[in-house]
Amino acid sequence: MSLNTVRHDYKITKKDRENLNGHRSLLLWFTGLSGSGKSTLANLVEMELHKKGVSTFVLDGDNVRQGINKDLSFAPEDRTENIRRIAEIGHLMVEAGVVTLAAFVSPYIEDRENIKNIVGVDNFIEIYINTSLKECERRDVKGLYKKARAGEIKNMTGISAPYEAPTNPDIEIVTDNQDVETSVQTILDFIIQKIK
């Protein structure tokens, strides 16, 4: 924290904003390998929440890296900074009263624990999109695994960089053998109870 700044407390609170919206705000953190279905599921869950009148916003790994985090690489220290910045943005969104869906590989347990410290444990839902590396490579939506196997991409999670799976996620979705509709409904059933 800068020594030359002073925190200002404003009269309108997170609770005031939640009351105005008619629901609680949370950070829904979708983690898993590239190609696991994080962005797809976040998008579909947001669509269903929107239909129910819930104020939402999606933060997506690729989109964020094209803007606020375009100065970061995929080296471990930059991955950590990427997640720290997103956690801070997520915290602001939750304070604004918005159910925020964040879809990021976020491969390190320590980084995901730090998110909880930033946004608060009560505001954080960890959703592990547990898709096997074999299935992610089969899908290879962006062609990243093929490039990584050819040595064209360094620090590719699951290939040349580790992915530390959550040990106790709030929700675990195994997409290898579960259709998208069932996955979305499983997440919604859990979330709706939390935001009422």
Side-chain angles (χ1 to χ4, degrees), residues 106-117:
S106 47
Y108 307 124
I109 289 173
E110 184 177 351
D111 291 347
R112 294 191 305 269
E113 285 298 314
N114 191 44
I115 300 164
K116 293 179 195 176
N117 294 332

Side-chain angles (χ1 to χ4, degrees), residues 48-159:
E48 293 303 315
L49 290 172
H50 184 78
K51 287 178 193 173
K52 296 178 184 302
V54 176
S55 179
T56 60
F57 192 80
V58 174
L59 296 168
D60 178 78
D62 284 353
N63 294 354
V64 167
R65 278 192 175 270
Q66 291 174 17
I68 196 168
N69 287 348
K70 67 183 175 183
D71 61 323
L72 299 177
S73 73
F74 288 89
E77 61 277 7
D78 278 1
R79 284 180 180 269
T80 293
E81 176 61 10
N82 180 54
I83 297 309
R84 187 198 68 77
R85 290 182 192 178
I86 299 312
E88 293 289 355
I89 293 168
H91 176 66
L92 293 173
M93 300 291 285
V94 169
E95 286 296 311
V98 177
V99 173
T100 306
L101 303 90
F104 293 83
V105 173
S106 47
Y108 307 124
I109 289 173
E110 184 177 351
D111 291 347
R112 294 191 305 269
E113 285 298 314
N114 191 44
I115 300 164
K116 293 179 195 176
N117 294 332
I118 291 170
V119 302
V121 174
D122 292 342
N123 297 321
F124 181 80
I125 304 292
E126 185 175 52
I127 304 170
Y128 175 29
I129 309 304
N130 183 356
T131 307
S132 68
L133 177 60
K134 181 180 178 181
E135 177 62 16
C136 290
E137 285 197 77
R138 187 191 68 74
R139 296 175 187 174
D140 205 7
V141 182
K142 304 170 193 171
L144 298 177
Y145 289 104
K146 185 177 180 183
K147 289 179 181 177
R149 292 287 187 195
E152 296 171 29
I153 296 177
K154 294 180 180 176
N155 297 314
M156 176 68 184
T157 304
I159 305 295

